[in-house]
Amino acid sequence: MANQKIKNRKKATDYEAKDIYVLEGLEPVRRRPGMYIGSTGPEGLHHLIWECVDNSLDEAMAGYAKNIEIILLPHNRVKTIDDGRGIPVEKHPQTKKSALETVMTTLHAGAKFGGKSYQVAGGLHGVGVSVVCALSNYLRAEVCRKGIKYAQEYSRGKAKTKVKKISNCRQTGTTIVFEPDPETFKDAKFDLKRILNHLRQQAYLTKGVRIKIIDQREKPEETYDFYFEGGLSSYVKFLTRGVNTRHPNVFYGIGEKEGILVEAALQYTEEYECFEEGFANNIHTGEGGTHLTGFRTAVTRTFNDYSRKNGILKESEDNLSGEDVREGLTGVVSVKIKEPQFEGQTKAKLGNPEAKAAVEAVVSDTLADFLERNPNDARAIIEKCVLSQKARKAAKVAKETVLRKGVLDGLALPGKLADCSSKKPEESELYIVEGESAGGSGKQARDRRFQAILPLRGKILNVERARLDKILTSKEIKSLIIAMGTAIAEDFNLDKLRYHRIIIMTDADVDGSHIRTLLLTLFYRHFKPIIEAGYLYVAQPPLYRIQAGKEVQYAYSEADKTEILNAFKKKKTLGTAIQRYKGLGEMNPDQLWETTMNPENRVLLQVTIEDAREADKIFDTLMGSEVLPRKKFIQTHAKKVQNLDI
């Protein structure tokens, strides 16, 4: 019997030449789209547009295109148009097909791998437009070259027609129309806001090039035009709009080092947060890289040199650290490099070591010159950095006092915390509730095995207006930090988080909404990795308890309430009683468990960050010290308010 088993196993695991599969053409892209565009969700869907536009931008950077147009068409189609040279259509010597078909249907085919057609280009991997072709149900390419317009159609990476001459034309350029394959993209809906944000950014990075976006999906169509002569300095002004700036003049520096073109711009605001962006050949490197490292090094060193030279920092005083210099900084650095080394096809991080040296050299020279020519700006910037240094030192002392080693190890949890018995973070939950009344109900309602309750007294400190040293004087925030176990600031460690579901549970009234907003501000500013890991939630307690006879139902929204009442009317149930819950303390423990805490029945909203910069702006507006931006926001959105206690 044993011998028979061994024989069968050997037969099942035979490994021969016939078992080696060769994926031809664009089949690898169709089998594993995530490897080429990151995902098959919204990010990957929009990446198809970026790949087409990147080719047009490469033409613009090479000096051959001035106008780029993106049209969102009905039936989920997109058209991109440029006035560049147009993709060649002649027969390719290697493939024996037209160059157009070769580019559209072959991975790693393009002019960016050799020759002098492109000195710099974003599409390093050469898979750009061919990936769009592979993942499109329908694609049509039109090319104008030498007075003739050519066209060819494709589907799922394969040519459906030959390259045909269709008319004469005076201009040059390439037009691509594509429709994403519904087999790959299950929810293929293009987001105009996402497209505008990305293409606005590209227009800033390619000054002098006009980018037009037209949305024809519904009537009347919407048109947007982006054209910026100021380049990165205009982009920094855009990023700091609506925020108090520390100095009037935006620093802008440009220069070339070892064949690498470097552009950088920065401005300081009165905020505490830092916002930095890096680009390589117009591609946003979301995870930074060597160019951003060079930018940070140059800024820190230049400010220290200027401070020493002008007596702002005394000999006995410490140098400004990178952390001191980045507080309130909005900075952008862009490099144009012949052979960029990106990590992965989605190009999230630049790896060229020579980019660091080039950026350091150019930014150091141009920033030193800016500080000498603008002494008032220089002093305003350095004073903010010195103030940040003093606050950092004060915060360090406060943090060391508050967060002793024993506390971080969970040996001295706050007395108000009703902890759970489980020590496994992946199954443990922490409910943050307002007030002792709700805390008492929560403690009685919970499942002690995996649910912990931390009641907060009143409204916590608005951390948008406070530095870390002040934040750590708040008893409520200290209790929360100790309960979570992660520490804060540079000592923060997500691996030490004691609960993998942190649930904000506040009353369904104005005060509850305010407390929830204050807590969200705290997590966004100081515990963002918890949000990014998907560990932060908002509980949804019911607004109404509706009883008709012996039947009881709970309504979580006004729409729920209407639906339940209509259902009772159809049943012709008499004597309907409606109770509006203002606070969690109004529910008895059984009701709180049934409606809000029982994993089988409850509704939790997971907190996510879709657009970090936009989120940053909203927190600045709503929670910052400036009244006018907040007033304007309220006036703009007042008509959209659905639940308002009067």
Side-chain angles (χ1 to χ4, degrees), residues 37 39-49 75-78 135 178-192 194-195 217 610:
I37 59 170
S39 76
T40 55
E43 202 68 45
L45 176 70
H46 289 80
H47 199 83
L48 301 183
I49 300 180
H75 310 299
N76 215 36
R77 291 188 176 185
V78 177
L135 300 177
F178 71 89
E179 177 188 313
D181 187 357
E183 284 185 12
T184 303
F185 303 98
K186 304 302 180 189
D187 185 22
K189 187 176 181 181
F190 290 104
D191 179 1
L192 179 62
R194 188 192 289 254
I195 293 166
R217 292 175 296 181
E610 186 175 333

Side-chain angles (χ1 to χ4, degrees), residues 234-247:
S234 296
Y235 186 37
V236 167
K237 286 178 183 175
F238 170 75
L239 292 174
T240 57
R241 73 199 187 283
V243 180
N244 282 346
T245 54
R246 182 79 183 182
H247 54 103

Side-chain angles (χ1 to χ4, degrees), residues 331-529:
V332 184
V333 60
S334 172
V335 295
K336 303 289 196 305
I337 186 168
K338 288 181 182 177
E339 294 185 9
Q341 297 166 12
F342 292 108
E343 290 187 8
Q345 166 58 18
T346 50
K347 309 175 182 109
K349 193 173 184 180
L350 184 69
N352 298 66
E354 66 272 23
K356 179 180 182 294
V359 172
E360 267 191 61
V362 171
V363 173
S364 293
D365 289 347
T366 53
L367 183 56
D369 181 61
F370 171 83
L371 297 176
E372 292 294 341
R373 288 187 293 104
N374 299 277
N376 291 338
D377 292 70
R379 183 161 287 277
I381 293 170
I382 302 298
E383 283 174 355
K384 180 173 178 66
C385 296
V386 170
L387 187 63
S388 171
Q389 183 188 55
K390 290 177 180 176
R392 176 175 57 85
K393 289 179 178 179
K396 185 178 181 182
V397 172
K399 191 172 55 173
E400 287 171 353
T401 304
V402 173
L403 304 174
R404 300 180 307 278
K405 187 178 187 299
V407 172
L408 291 182
D409 289 341
L411 301 180
L413 292 170
K416 62 170 69 179
L417 172 69
D419 205 5
C420 55
S421 58
S422 173
K423 301 303 176 189
K424 296 179 181 178
E426 59 273 14
E427 69 178 17
S428 300
E429 302 178 345
L430 174 65
Y431 277 86
I432 306 171
V433 301
E434 56 170 305
E436 295 301 328
S437 175
S441 295
K443 288 173 187 178
Q444 293 179 62
R446 69 185 175 129
D447 184 325
R448 292 167 182 258
R449 187 180 61 81
F450 67 95
Q451 291 178 324
I453 306 291
L454 179 67
L456 300 179
R457 179 185 285 179
K459 295 175 182 176
I460 68 164
L461 178 73
N462 179 3
V463 300
E464 190 71 19
R465 307 174 190 176
R467 281 194 167 89
L468 189 59
D469 54 329
K470 186 179 178 184
I471 291 168
L472 290 174
T473 63
S474 164
K475 289 182 180 179
E476 304 303 308
I477 293 177
K478 270 194 292 185
S479 295
L480 178 57
I481 296 169
I482 295 167
M484 292 193 301
T486 59
I488 193 170
E490 68 269 17
D491 293 330
F492 177 86
N493 186 345
L494 186 63
D495 292 336
K496 291 189 176 182
L497 184 65
R498 300 177 65 245
Y499 313 91
H500 281 187
R501 275 184 297 280
I502 297 175
I503 302 164
I504 299 171
M505 187 165 70
T506 57
D507 291 344
D509 59 11
V510 171
D511 282 341
S513 297
H514 191 192
I515 292 168
R516 183 167 62 246
T517 304
L518 290 167
L519 284 166
L520 288 171
T521 305
L522 173 67
F523 275 94
Y524 180 76
R525 291 300 184 207
H526 295 281
F527 302 101
K528 195 182 289 184

